[in-house]
């Protein structure tokens, strides 16, 4: 046998086994999407966003069915009842009712901030469902403290302006 045609099995001959230990496996990349395990894992990834969307849809359907403009169905805002001041959420149920019926001008008239929130929620849910379908990480609502303060300031300004005579167009 010539040397070029010989094959050596290192496991059978201990003296020919390599003396260098192999490198340990690299840790998994936390940014890499998890491996797709088929339809069962996809269904598991989509379960939470789908149930969240179903709950929000059921709540919107209920508010769309039970009219908040008729007294006795929903409690009155405690801040408005005690002080007569409209909070940022006042008119939110009327806005959701109009939104459920596709009446965007009435929804904006009842609570413009709530309508903006509906669209932000819809975008977040769409992103969550797409990432769940593709196997990516769930989106996270992580903002710098400055942005949280900005969102709070926007809600405060909205609340103050809608209680002024000049901002009566923002009142429900």
């Amino acid at each position: 046998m010539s040397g070029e045609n010989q094959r050596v099995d290192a496991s059978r001959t201990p003296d020919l086994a390599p003396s260098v230990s192999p490198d340990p496996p690299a840790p998994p990349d936390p940014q890499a999407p998890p491996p797709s395990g088929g339809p069962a894992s996809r269904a598991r990834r989509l379960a939470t966003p789908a149930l969240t969307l179903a709950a929000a849809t059921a709540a919107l359907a209920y508010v769309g069915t039970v009219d908040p403009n008729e007294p006795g169905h929903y409690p009155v805002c405690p801040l408005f009842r005690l002080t007569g001041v409209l909070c940022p959420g006042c008119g939110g149920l009327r806005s959701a009712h109009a939104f459920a019926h596709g009446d965007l001008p009435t929804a904006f008239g009842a609570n413009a901030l709530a309508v903006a929130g509906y669209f932000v929620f819809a975008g977040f849910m769409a992103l969550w469902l797409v990432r769940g379908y593709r196997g990516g990480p769930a989106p996270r609502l992580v903002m710098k403290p400055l942005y949280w303060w900005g969102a709070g300031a926007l809600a405060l300004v909205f609340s103050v302006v809608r209680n002024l005579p000049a901002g009566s167009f923002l009142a429900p």
Side-chain angles (χ1 to χ4, degrees):
M1 268 177 126
S2 69
E4 50 197 68
N5 290 333
Q6 291 180 348
R7 211 160 92 194
V8 177
D9 187 2
S11 65
R12 291 188 179 191
T13 55
D15 53 332
L16 294 178
S19 61
V20 179
S21 64
D23 291 334
D29 182 16
Q31 297 297 327
S36 178
S41 64
R42 179 173 287 158
R44 193 173 329 121
R45 286 189 315 261
L46 288 173
T48 304
L51 289 173
T52 302
L53 184 60
T57 302
L60 187 64
Y62 178 78
V63 173
T65 304
V66 181
D67 191 0
N69 295 309
E70 296 176 12
H73 293 293
Y74 300 101
V76 177
C77 173
L79 181 67
F80 183 72
R81 175 175 268 177
L82 293 174
T83 65
V85 174
L86 296 169
C87 74
C90 281
L93 286 173
R94 288 183 290 258
S95 174
H97 180 77
F99 190 81
H101 288 277
D103 188 3
L104 285 179
T106 304
F108 272 108
N111 192 326
L113 194 61
V115 174
Y118 305 150
F119 286 112
V120 169
F121 178 77
F124 183 82
M125 286 305 306
L127 180 64
W128 195 5
L129 287 166
V130 167
R131 284 189 180 179
Y133 182 80
R134 291 182 178 170
R140 295 178 33 195
L141 187 60
V142 179
M143 296 190 314
K144 294 180 181 178
L146 180 64
Y147 295 134
W148 284 113
W149 282 102
L154 177 69
L156 179 65
V157 167
F158 176 73
S159 184
V160 168
V161 169
R162 73 190 313 206
N163 284 290
L164 297 174
S168 63
F169 65 95
L170 291 174

